[in-house]
Amino acid sequence: MKAAYLKAKYQFEVRDVELREPDRNEVEVAVKACGFCGHDNILANYAATEWEPFGHEFAGIVTKIGADVQNVAVGDRVAIETSTFNPYSDAALNGRPDLCTDCTDYMKRKEGDTMGFAERTIVPANLVVNIRDLSFEEACILEPMGVAADLILTADIHLNDDVLLLGAGPIGLMAMQMAKKSGARHIYVAQHSGSKARVDLACKFGADDVIFTDKEDLEKYPFPRGGVDKVLVTSPPSTIDLATRVTNPGGKVAFLGIGYGDRAKATFDSNIVHLRKISIIGSNAIPALYFPRCIDLLEAGMVDVKSLISHRFKLEDLPTAMARYLAEKDKAVKAIMVNE
């Protein structure tokens, strides 16, 4: 069978590999759709110093099950959570499964295992979720959609809140749709002008305005109430300072961005945070939660994920398809592999 691997800087290849049999509590999944995410981009850009399998946003069909698996059967159509909490952990038993650190984690695979960019892969059974009648393309976006849901719930958006989204990537674009449905009065998007496809989608999804951060000083923007009540930060950690400067007193900055090394560091004016009584709170969708809720939202038509897909490709075409996707910055939103 075939599986894809990456190595920095932006090297991709497809290999012929052997896949082991699933253990007692594992399943084998034939991958039908897999999304390329921001974390994959970080790996491909600088973090993967050795060749690695990749892809954790995927959906497919169960082809084999281990002896002790009871929650799914061969032939089931499923999506994969990246991680899930231990129901016997202190955090879970105290009503906070979101704080569990003893997780089943798909990323901690066994040596030699493939991941989502492959024909087939092995998955712990407790990470498998039935997708009902969703298409595989929609279902492979459930994982980042759960991340967007976590960000929205962390921000605690109320009726009549003015909301600013920093960074209109796929997760941000899903989050702004959820913010609108949560009762936000105005939604503003701050984004670089070079990302035309993302800007167009922000407008399609109901942004009151898109502020081009390479052309306009966000601090001087004439927000109706002087600033905004909630900021959703999906941009790099360095933008937290800017977020606090446009947040109204009593407001909240919900932060999702990831960085490594010096890119993980952020500074901000503590006097602004102190005097305005601003909360800065991190959103981290590990363990993964909200898949059933996200399936409901998709079935109800409350969040549009199909419009996010800007590039589709076959597994065997992955190296050239990734090069094209990464080069077409004005068109790129979400790239997915389709094996159907």
Side-chain angles (χ1 to χ4, degrees):
M1 57 158 274
K2 295 188 182 300
Y5 294 78
L6 61 74
K7 181 181 178 182
K9 183 167 175 117
Y10 292 124
Q11 302 173 70
F12 301 91
E13 67 179 33
V14 177
R15 302 176 181 175
D16 289 311
V17 299
E18 296 290 330
L19 187 66
R20 65 177 175 87
E21 293 294 310
D23 288 341
R24 300 183 67 85
N25 292 302
E26 294 178 324
V27 303
E28 179 188 274
V29 176
V31 180
K32 295 300 180 183
C34 183
F36 183 79
C37 85
H39 183 262
D40 294 328
N41 192 24
I42 290 171
L43 287 175
N45 187 11
Y46 60 85
T49 56
E50 303 295 334
W51 286 103
E52 297 183 19
F54 66 110
H56 58 269
E57 303 175 356
F58 66 97
I61 297 174
V62 176
T63 48
K64 295 181 183 179
I65 64 172
D68 293 339
V69 173
Q70 299 182 16
N71 60 317
V72 290
V74 171
D76 283 355
R77 304 170 72 257
V78 298
I80 311 303
E81 294 180 326
T82 307
S83 61
T84 194
F85 60 89
N86 175 0
Y88 305 108
S89 68
D90 286 349
L93 292 172
N94 282 328
R96 291 297 304 271
D98 59 306
L99 299 181
C100 177
T101 57
D102 182 23
C103 298
T104 302
D105 188 349
Y106 176 69
M107 309 296 277
K108 295 178 181 177
R109 62 201 177 278
K110 293 183 179 180
E111 184 69 27
D113 277 1
T114 58
M115 293 187 68
F117 284 109
E119 291 180 325
R120 289 174 285 123
T121 187
I122 302 296
V123 182
N126 59 344
L127 298 181
V128 176
V129 178
N130 194 294
I131 61 173
R132 306 200 287 257
D133 294 325
L134 290 183
S135 69
F136 291 119
E137 288 191 358
E138 289 177 296
C140 81
I141 301 179
L142 281 169
E143 195 277 340
M145 186 178 175
V147 176
D150 190 90
L151 179 64
I152 286 296
L153 292 169
T154 298
D156 191 27
I157 294 170
H158 295 172
L159 289 171
N160 211 40
D161 277 345
D162 286 347
V163 177
L164 171 67
L165 169 66
L166 287 181
I171 290 172
L173 290 167
M174 287 186 281
M176 68 163 289
Q177 294 180 71
M178 296 180 196
K180 197 78 170 178
K181 297 295 192 299
S182 298
R185 183 181 74 146
H186 295 301
I187 298 179
Y188 305 92
V189 175
Q191 172 66 32
H192 195 280
S193 62
S195 303
K196 183 180 185 304
R198 299 183 181 203
V199 170
D200 289 346
L201 283 174
C203 295
K204 175 181 177 178
F205 295 151
D208 290 85
D209 197 6
V210 177
I211 305 159
F212 295 128
T213 53
D214 54 323
K215 297 181 177 180
E216 189 170 354
D217 186 346
L218 188 61
E219 289 187 66
K220 296 180 180 178
Y221 185 84
F223 295 108
R225 290 197 283 237
V228 294
D229 306 302
K230 306 289 170 62
V231 185
L232 308 174
V233 182
T234 64
S235 47
S238 58
T239 59
I240 291 177
D241 178 57
L242 180 59
T244 63
R245 294 176 182 276
V246 295
T247 302
N248 288 330
K252 183 177 291 188
V253 175
F255 171 71
L256 181 64
I258 297 174
Y260 290 88
D262 288 341
R263 297 177 179 88
K265 297 178 182 178
T267 60
F268 55 86
D269 188 332
S270 62
N271 286 331
I272 291 176
V273 175
H274 165 64
L275 294 173
R276 296 186 191 173
K277 299 183 179 180
I278 294 170
S279 299
I280 302 174
I281 184 166
S283 167
N284 180 19
I286 300 175
L289 298 168
Y290 313 123
F291 266 48
R293 183 180 297 190
C294 289
I295 291 172
D296 288 344
L297 289 171
L298 290 178
E299 289 181 335
M302 296 182 71
V303 178
D304 176 4
V305 299
K306 290 182 179 179
S307 294
L308 301 175
I309 303 170
S310 58
H311 294 69
R312 293 175 174 86
F313 59 90
K314 298 289 187 182
L315 174 60
E316 58 267 27
D317 299 326
L318 186 145
T320 54
M322 280 292 94
R324 184 173 65 253
Y325 170 74
L326 294 167
E328 295 178 341
K329 297 186 182 301
D330 61 328
K331 301 177 183 177
V333 182
K334 188 73 177 175
I336 66 167
M337 176 193 76
V338 180
N339 279 343
E340 294 185 86

